[in-house]
Amino acid sequence: MKRIVALLLAVMMCVSLFAGCGSQPAETPTKPQGENNAPQEGGTQEDTTPAEFSYPTTGSLSFWQWPNGNITANYPSFENTPAAGYAEEAIGIKVDYIDDHSNTDEAFQLMIASEKMPDLVAHNWLSLYPGGPTAAYEDGVCIRLNDVIDQYMPNFKAFLESRPDVKKMIADDEGNIYFVPSVGADSSLYTFGSYVRADMLEELGEEIPTTIDGWHDLFVKVKETYGITPYSLHNGWLLNMSFISYAYGVGDTDYIVDDNGKAVYNRTSDHYKEFLMTLNQWYNEGLIDADIATISVNDVMAKVINGEVFASSAWLGSGMQAVETASEDFEVQAFATPSLKEGEKAEFTYGNWAVYGQGVVITPDCENVETAARWLDYFFSPEGILLYNYGKEGTDFTMVDGAPVFADSILYNLPEGWTQSQSIGAINFATNGYTAGYKDEWYYPQHMVTQSAKDALSIWADVEGGGFLHKWPNVSYTADEAAEMARYSTNLSTTANEWGMNFVIGAVSFDQWDAYIAEMEAMGANEALAINQAALDRYNNR
């Protein structure tokens, strides 16, 4: 059933894993084995007493993963990297890495519809698989791991016992676990934020404002003094990832949790309207880039480097640090989300949950579940965490005062034409996204070669509750709910973005706000909110 459904999806291309299509998913196929809590053949054993075990072991596996640009730039496959060799030497298991370079939804669907799936499959199971990992199990894509963890994964089991927050994020509402996640330490959670040209700030004799009004006044001064654009960023981030949006409580997800624990749909809320009205005011005053509706990431970076823009928001390494290292003539400085009132602290910022959604499943076609489980479990052992993050000790990193430090050959003395991310990605697993393991506390700071970038990791986290008081959690949908959300989400998002940008640039008057709300409600905004409230209630009861 699973292969028939998947093949139909692949051929028809009517269900997108990346929420790019608003059509309703096909009917959920019957579970391959019993109910959610029932053991699945090949995935569990009646006797779950852990046996004596040590690495290296033996065996072979096949592992399907999305291609990563850090690898494909220099290697035909991840299998050819030093990291793959390190893992095989340490674990003893030979892995056939299947890097699907087509990088399409159709390729994923064809893979799961194939005569025999690979043993392991990497994906974003929480965000990009319709219905989440529970739906993947019901579709016959993966096995249930609870008993597998008990019997074959002592390191991962101990990790979950030490991190009940992570266990809550990866389990479904009935406590079933279907994937082994990529988990981030606190220092890896804040990788997007805002920054200013520090040299200009110093010339102006100003300090970083702490309120939105303070930023308005500083931007006015910047425009009057330098005649440049005070603030610019990629147009796709303006409505949900600018420091202005976070100040108004508009998170980077469509839903947030209010002070009473209730779900709120951002795009029809009162605080969203207030945020858009502020953007419109600043746009009319010339404080926001006039090209905001169309400007690209590279265009923004070029403007900052050329002194045409004072402040922006971007990813830490590829944005803020890249801008600063592009010139020796200036420095940048990160800043935290400002508040709306003096003396208050903002409650929103861009911060990932420790589990963002990526991870690895064991498929029903895996003939040796123990081998697959042992391979995955290694990356949660002390030795495995080091390999996962830093490669081989003595070659790629050394321990200094109890902390791992990358060798200069990895960070600075790179082969011609290589980037730092490509260098690190060749010797570790953590850089490559769709893996399972733990990104430890030193991982992201090691990437940062400028002090301002290192400082940004803590500056961007400096909001009330670390930005997680109202952040939408990793809820699970039932099959019916997933189908309904697939029908609503894309149309709601597209409509909200179109209206939102038109409100900002003045193409639509705020007199039309009620018409906007009516259109959103006609598209199912209230029904989608009710679904998410039910999912939130179940999540809180886990």
Side-chain angles (χ1 to χ4, degrees):
M1 174 67 76
K2 153 283 269 193
R3 290 187 170 87
I4 295 174
V5 172
L7 184 60
L8 287 173
L9 292 175
V11 174
M12 297 173 67
M13 291 298 287
C14 64
V15 176
S16 170
L17 295 179
F18 297 92
C21 172
S23 57
Q24 187 168 348
E27 182 179 353
T28 302
T30 304
K31 299 176 190 178
Q33 293 286 335
E35 297 299 322
N36 274 358
N37 290 314
Q40 182 169 339
E41 183 178 353
T44 61
Q45 302 287 335
E46 289 184 5
D47 180 8
T48 59
T49 303
E52 292 294 328
F53 179 82
S54 62
Y55 294 100
T57 183
T58 59
S60 61
L61 295 168
S62 55
F63 180 18
W64 191 97
Q65 58 184 352
W66 295 102
N68 184 278
N70 292 319
I71 300 303
T72 57
N74 303 298
Y75 297 93
S77 168
F78 188 80
E79 188 168 348
N80 304 107
T81 65
Y86 298 156
E88 183 175 347
E89 178 183 3
I91 305 174
I93 296 172
K94 173 68 176 177
V95 178
D96 175 18
Y97 296 90
I98 306 170
D99 304 318
D100 195 307
H101 291 260
S102 61
N103 198 18
T104 64
D105 305 340
E106 182 180 11
F108 181 87
Q109 294 291 348
L110 288 172
M111 180 272 297
I112 64 176
S114 60
E115 183 73 19
K116 184 179 187 297
M117 283 192 295
D119 300 309
L120 303 172
V121 174
H123 196 50
N124 190 319
W125 302 101
L126 292 178
S127 301
L128 300 181
Y129 194 95
T134 303
Y137 170 72
E138 293 172 340
D139 292 345
V141 175
C142 61
I143 66 172
R144 181 178 179 269
L145 296 179
N146 297 59
D147 293 341
V148 176
I149 294 169
D150 286 340
Q151 188 167 11
Y152 301 131
M153 306 183 72
N155 295 300
F156 184 51
K157 181 177 181 179
F159 180 84
L160 292 181
E161 290 173 349
S162 70
R163 292 290 302 270
D165 60 318
V166 170
K167 187 174 183 179
K168 182 176 180 178
M169 291 177 197
I170 66 172
D172 68 8
D173 297 326
E174 284 73 43
N176 301 303
I177 296 174
Y178 301 113
F179 76 109
V180 182
S182 171
V183 184
D186 289 349
S187 62
S188 70
L189 305 184
Y190 303 95
T191 56
F192 184 96
S194 300
Y195 66 94
V196 297
R197 282 278 301 262
D199 54 317
M200 293 184 182
L201 187 69
E202 184 177 0
E203 288 175 357
L204 292 170
E206 296 286 347
E207 296 182 350
I208 295 291
T210 58
T211 66
I212 281 291
D213 287 343
W215 276 103
H216 172 270
D217 295 343
L218 176 59
F219 281 173
V220 169
K221 187 173 183 178
V222 167
K223 184 173 179 61
E224 292 175 347
T225 303
Y226 295 107
I228 63 173
T229 299
Y231 184 63
S232 181
L233 79 166
H234 170 45
N235 67 292
W237 299 334
L238 180 67
L239 299 180
N240 59 0
M241 293 175 69
S242 66
F243 76 91
I244 314 167
S245 69
Y246 290 126
Y248 278 93
V250 178
D252 46 88
T253 54
D254 283 340
Y255 299 89
I256 60 172
V257 182
D258 69 13
D259 291 331
N260 298 314
K262 298 298 183 182
V264 175
Y265 182 44
N266 264 329
R267 312 307 168 189
T268 56
S269 64
D270 291 340
H271 60 260
Y272 184 59
K273 180 180 181 181
E274 294 171 4
F275 156 63
L276 292 178
M277 294 179 74
T278 295
L279 282 183
N280 173 251
Q281 175 193 339
W282 289 17
Y283 180 84
N284 291 335
E285 294 179 19
L287 307 182
I288 296 176
D289 201 319
D291 300 324
I292 195 62
T294 58
I295 197 164
S296 70
V297 173
N298 290 337
D299 289 340
V300 173
M301 292 174 63
K303 287 187 176 185
V304 176
I305 293 169
N306 294 333
E308 301 171 44
V309 166
F310 172 67
S312 186
S313 302
W315 297 109
L316 181 54
S318 61
M320 176 180 146
Q321 182 170 257
V323 163
E324 185 171 27
T325 55
S327 174
E328 298 180 354
D329 297 334
F330 64 84
E331 295 180 352
V332 299
Q333 180 177 347
F335 63 90
T337 304
S339 64
L340 296 182
K341 296 181 180 179
E342 191 70 51
E344 294 185 354
K345 197 167 187 178
E347 296 181 336
F348 285 80
T349 189
Y350 180 89
N352 288 320
W353 291 110
V355 176
Y356 186 64
Q358 293 98 329
V360 179
V361 301
I362 301 176
T363 73
D365 291 337
C366 180
E367 295 180 357
N368 196 325
V369 171
E370 179 178 357
T371 299
R374 297 294 188 188
W375 189 84
L376 291 168
D377 190 54
Y378 178 79
F379 294 105
F380 288 89
S381 69
E383 301 81 8
I385 289 173
L386 287 174
L387 190 156
Y388 182 80
N389 287 274
Y390 308 108
K392 186 173 184 178
E393 186 172 3
T395 301
D396 307 310
F397 76 96
T398 56
M399 299 299 292
V400 179
D401 297 328
V405 177
F406 277 124
D408 286 350
S409 60
I410 301 301
L411 291 181
Y412 306 111
N413 305 327
L414 310 182
E416 184 177 357
W418 283 47
T419 67
Q420 186 190 84
S421 293
Q422 291 169 3
S423 174
I424 297 174
I427 56 92
N428 79 351
F429 283 74
T431 304
N432 301 306
Y434 293 96
T435 54
Y438 177 65
K439 295 181 181 178
D440 80 349
E441 60 181 312
W442 303 106
Y443 174 71
Y444 264 102
Q446 285 282 321
H447 279 230
M448 302 304 119
V449 298
T450 66
Q451 188 58 47
S452 59
K454 294 178 186 293
D455 293 341
L457 290 168
S458 58
I459 291 173
W460 290 343
D462 188 21
V463 296
E464 197 70 37
F468 295 104
L469 295 177
H470 304 286
K471 188 172 180 64
W472 191 248
N474 296 322
V475 301
S476 297
Y477 298 123
T478 66
D480 289 342
E481 287 172 343
E484 287 294 287
M485 288 304 299
R487 187 159 61 91
Y488 296 134
S489 295
T490 300
N491 290 337
L492 286 172
S493 179
T494 300
T495 301
N497 288 336
E498 290 176 353
W499 275 87
M501 188 60 72
N502 283 330
F503 280 129
V504 171
I505 64 176
V508 174
S509 166
F510 282 95
D511 292 340
Q512 296 298 307
W513 181 259
D514 289 344
Y516 160 66
I517 296 297
E519 183 171 343
M520 294 291 283
E521 290 179 348
M523 290 185 171
N526 293 335
E527 289 80 359
L529 177 59
I531 290 172
N532 279 277
Q533 181 63 61
L536 177 63
D537 291 341
R538 294 195 303 270
Y539 179 86
N540 290 334
N541 288 329
R542 288 181 183 176

